[in-house]
Amino acid sequence: MVRFPKIMKTCSISLLGSAFLLFGSGLQSTEAADVDGRWNARVEGPRGPRTIEFELKAEGDKLSGKTISRFGGQARETEIQDGKIDGDTLSFVQVLDFRGNEMRISYTGKVGEEGISFTRQVGDRPASEFQASRGAAEPGDPAIPRRRGQPVEVGPDDKPAFEDPPAGFNAVKDDVPHGKLEMIEYESKVVGTTRKMQVYTPPGYTEDKKYPVLYLLHGIGGDEAEWQNLARVNAILDNLIAGEKAVPMIVVMPNGRAQVDDRAETGMSSAPAFAKFEPVLLDEVIPTIDSRYSTHSSREARALAGLSMGGGQTLNFGLAHLDTFAWVGGFSSAPNTKPPAELVPDPGKAKEQLKLLMISCGTKDGLFGISKGVHTYLKEKEVPHVWHVDDRGHDGGHWANALWYFAQQIFQ
Ligand code: FER
């Protein structure tokens, strides 16, 4: 489109709060649509559906204001940035902090009779569309978490599979033997870089014995250090092993973002790299561990578990490679989780080969519907599994508890 210089009539700005634009020499004028005031909409957010309100104010071709996001009974206000309005078209950016990472959400809108038709884009993910209506949102609690358009409710099945761990379960204690944490490197042909993983070896680790291995995968906001930072994995294992509740095992925490820049700060834009991690895990991480540590390399001596994006990876990769893993745990699994019928296309085989399948999520987690969908399918197909539901959100407390339980079940 050819753009002509805009000439603004200052009187119209002060009198009407909107700008008249003159296009070329035709003296055609376009008045900026009246958007001032409050708007509300329901959108799919990173943790499920949420209500967003927009408080907008146009001054000339500039748009200012704020977004108010409601979720879990909380409201979060963010000043909009780079706001512009031109006739009936507007645009602005909302900058959010997502688990410590900056997430930019771009909005473009067209003002019509029905309200504002918005297109919303997060990073390079596909854009979504929604309609905003005039006025404030209804007060009260926001959306019930749902996924793929299906409302999800908390039912009688959705309850804890185990009691909360005892106090101090992940505290470093002086009176128990300590394992060792080390950060190791390996060459990845798939990614083309030297990559890191953190490895826990149990107290008294010796080449004279062979150990089973648990692989733990992190979430979108994390890296090879996340599990340790959130859950204090070494303390959980030290304490369980000392109490003979878990068998001595090696725990491997790789970086699950298979791209050159694998830092946590890459945030949502790195989602596709989580899918590319499958051959890195199978062909590089596991062989590296089996060659450098004294491991049992049978499927019965290999477990895979993960949180959120890592939970999705765990279910996607683990259930597709039952010849490699016999123990699988997806905690608060993210939207990267394949649909249940793709995860478990052959329920009979899964039933026969899996030693443990654990699915867990908190009811305050906007991603609850994903885990619940997997549980519902597994139940229908009679695939034995542990379905653990607590009243937590998408948080480290849920993951530490889930690991504490999972670590006691595996390799026994
Ligand atoms: C999303 C919501 C959450 C998503 C990923 C996540 C790729 C991951 C969250 C996490 O790992 O904590 O829409 O899309």
Side-chain angles (χ1 to χ4, degrees), residues 47 99 162 164-165 169-170 219 226-233 236 306-308 331-332 360 362 365 388 390 392-405:
R47 297 181 186 189
R99 291 178 60 193
F162 55 88
D164 275 357
F169 76 104
N170 68 341
E226 185 181 53
W227 261 106
Q228 177 59 25
N229 291 344
L230 290 176
R232 233 178 281 124
V233 172
I236 294 180
L307 68 91
S308 200
F331 314 144
S332 320
S360 80
D365 190 327
H388 173 68
D390 65 15
R392 288 177 170 273
H394 200 69
D395 60 55
H398 180 88
W399 302 323
N401 290 0
L403 173 62
W404 173 80
Y405 177 80

Side-chain angles (χ1 to χ4, degrees), residues 44-80:
E44 286 297 325
R47 297 181 186 189
R50 60 177 69 216
T51 304
I52 302 193
E53 289 172 274
F54 302 96
E55 179 81 52
L56 301 177
K57 177 144 187 62
E59 275 180 277
D61 61 354
K62 298 257 185 309
L63 192 65
S64 61
K66 61 189 180 189
T67 60
I68 306 135
S69 305
R70 295 182 194 283
F71 188 74
Q74 297 169 347
R76 179 154 71 166
E77 293 194 5
T78 319
E79 291 293 319
I80 67 168

